[in-house]
Amino acid sequence: AHEDRSVLLERRHYQERPVVLEVQDPGNFRVRFKIVKDGGIDSDVGEAQHRCILMGIIPRRACSDAFAVEDDHPKHGYFITDFGNLWAQDGTDMESEIHNLPIDISLTLHFISEPTPTLIASTDDQLPCVLHFERPIPPDDYRPCVVFRTEDTAVEATVVETTKRPVVRGSPGGILAKMWEARSFADAELACDGKAFPAHREVLAAASPVFAATFGGSMKEAASSRIDVGDSTPKAVEALLRCIYTGNLDAGDAPAVLPLAHRYQMECIVRRSGELMLQGLSPETAARTASTFRSFREDKAVAPLWDSLVGRCLVDEALLRATLEGL
């Protein structure tokens, strides 16, 4: 399932040690940061202090170290501060395109490790932009982290995680996969362009709230247990059913399956289809991928896929050119 994992990070006392977050895929992750508490007084001196929070990435090998500053830049990591400056281990100390971050405005950082490590930032009111440091980010095993350089300050961090399991979990040796192979006791069918595919009402209803409502309603489909699928192809319908029963989806079927999964509100299969399209992204597939994602980018399952595509295009001129030429 898709899950947004939120955690409240709080620093009551001055301590320059990174607060590190774990992610399922260190090579491609998104984290939203939102400042929810701003300590305005330095308890040691009793004066107003300037809030300073660093949000970014740090090599995993340095996660347990104290946050060291050498020659006025961090020893490890690449960061953007809450006031929009870039600060990094390569000596970067300069303004970015991101404005000062007020309380309750989210900053989203998207890290992509391939083809070259890239950090992309956006806020609630600013479009994604690549963060350009003095030197390219070197390959490493990075994790998202926060460094508090101010007392009595709190940040809500939300890690956007994605797994690759479909909504109905089957395996090649499992019960659902056997049902797909045998088609015994089928009590429903999906029809497209003159071809019908036997299926099981309970399985379809478990996979899709649209199917559940259809079979439980008073429409003719409820009585006949036959659903006509328009604006698609038999190959795409069969691929969707195979994914529901077995969890298997061929990359070549993903572009046609994604719109169907979206239509029938199968969020996990929407996401799985999009992930396969991103894995196979090339100048030859970029235009179709962009067209598909753009059509559904308001969907919460597609939005992070769209952001990933934008990030890839921002750092790969060939992809960007192919996408624009295909519009």
Side-chain angles (χ1 to χ4, degrees):
H2 169 78
E3 180 183 2
D4 288 358
R5 218 169 15 94
S6 295
V7 60
L8 183 65
L9 309 176
E10 188 168 9
R11 180 69 70 225
R12 295 184 177 180
H13 303 289
Y14 187 83
Q15 180 182 353
E16 287 199 347
R17 183 175 295 278
V19 182
V20 179
L21 303 168
E22 282 300 325
V23 292
Q24 291 184 3
D25 184 0
N28 188 346
F29 57 79
R30 295 169 68 245
V31 185
R32 288 193 302 271
F33 299 100
K34 183 167 68 173
I35 300 170
V36 295
K37 184 179 180 183
D38 181 3
I41 300 295
D42 187 324
S43 60
D44 291 335
V45 299
E47 296 177 354
Q49 61 178 344
H50 178 70
R51 183 184 69 208
C52 185
I53 302 170
L54 311 180
M55 295 156 284
I57 57 173
I58 195 168
R60 189 176 187 184
R61 55 186 167 77
C63 288
S64 60
D65 297 341
F67 185 74
V69 176
E70 294 183 351
D71 299 326
D72 204 31
H73 62 265
K75 184 177 179 181
H76 300 290
Y78 293 81
F79 302 94
I80 183 170
T81 71
D82 55 303
F83 48 93
N85 275 21
L86 299 181
W87 210 39
Q89 65 187 44
D90 64 2
T92 300
D93 185 3
M94 62 185 181
E95 294 183 358
S96 73
E97 297 179 36
I98 299 297
H99 304 155
N100 183 49
L101 191 67
I103 284 184
D104 290 334
I105 293 294
S106 294
L107 167 73
T108 298
L109 294 181
H110 182 189
F111 175 72
I112 305 170
S113 64
E114 296 179 349
T116 57
T118 304
L119 196 58
I120 302 164
S122 62
T123 68
D124 293 343
D125 55 2
Q126 291 178 266
L127 294 174
C129 64
V130 174
L131 300 182
H132 294 287
F133 296 91
E134 292 284 352
R135 301 183 183 87
I137 300 174
D140 211 323
D141 185 17
Y142 291 101
R143 295 294 186 276
C145 78
V146 177
V147 177
F148 293 92
R149 308 193 78 203
T150 312
E151 294 182 354
D152 202 24
T153 306
V155 171
E156 181 183 76
T158 303
V159 178
V160 180
E161 297 284 21
T162 302
T163 65
K164 299 181 179 179
R165 294 181 178 269
V167 66
V168 178
R169 294 172 183 166
S171 63
I175 294 174
L176 287 177
K178 292 178 180 178
M179 291 173 68
W180 170 250
E181 294 298 330
R183 312 292 176 95
S184 301
F185 309 108
D187 56 0
E189 63 179 24
L190 267 60
C192 179
D193 199 18
K195 188 169 183 179
F197 300 93
H200 304 83
R201 290 163 60 107
E202 286 291 340
V203 175
L204 296 180
S208 161
V210 176
F211 287 149
T214 299
F215 293 136
S218 58
M219 297 184 293
K220 64 178 182 179
E221 290 88 352
S224 67
S225 297
R226 175 187 171 96
I227 296 177
D228 291 309
V229 181
D231 296 325
S232 190
T233 65
K235 187 174 186 293
V237 173
E238 185 176 27
L240 176 69
L241 286 171
R242 184 184 301 110
C243 188
I244 290 172
Y245 278 88
T246 71
N248 297 325
L249 179 62
D250 292 337
D253 293 325
V257 167
L258 190 151
L260 275 180
H262 177 270
R263 183 190 310 177
Y264 295 112
Q265 298 179 22
M266 301 178 187
E267 183 179 324
C268 289
I269 297 180
V270 169
R271 187 170 297 106
R272 176 62 175 144
S273 300
E275 289 170 349
L276 286 173
M277 293 172 71
L278 286 177
Q279 288 172 19
L281 190 64
S282 69
E284 290 72 31
T285 64
R288 184 178 184 184
T289 299
S291 177
T292 302
F293 287 3
R294 183 174 59 181
S295 298
F296 306 107
R297 66 182 183 274
E298 300 302 323
D299 185 295
K300 67 177 182 179
V302 180
L305 299 170
W306 173 257
D307 288 345
S308 293
L309 175 62
V310 171
R312 294 277 294 276
C313 288
L314 286 172
V315 298
D316 190 323
E317 184 178 348
L319 285 179
L320 180 60
R321 181 182 296 274
T323 300
L324 295 176
E325 290 177 349
L327 294 178

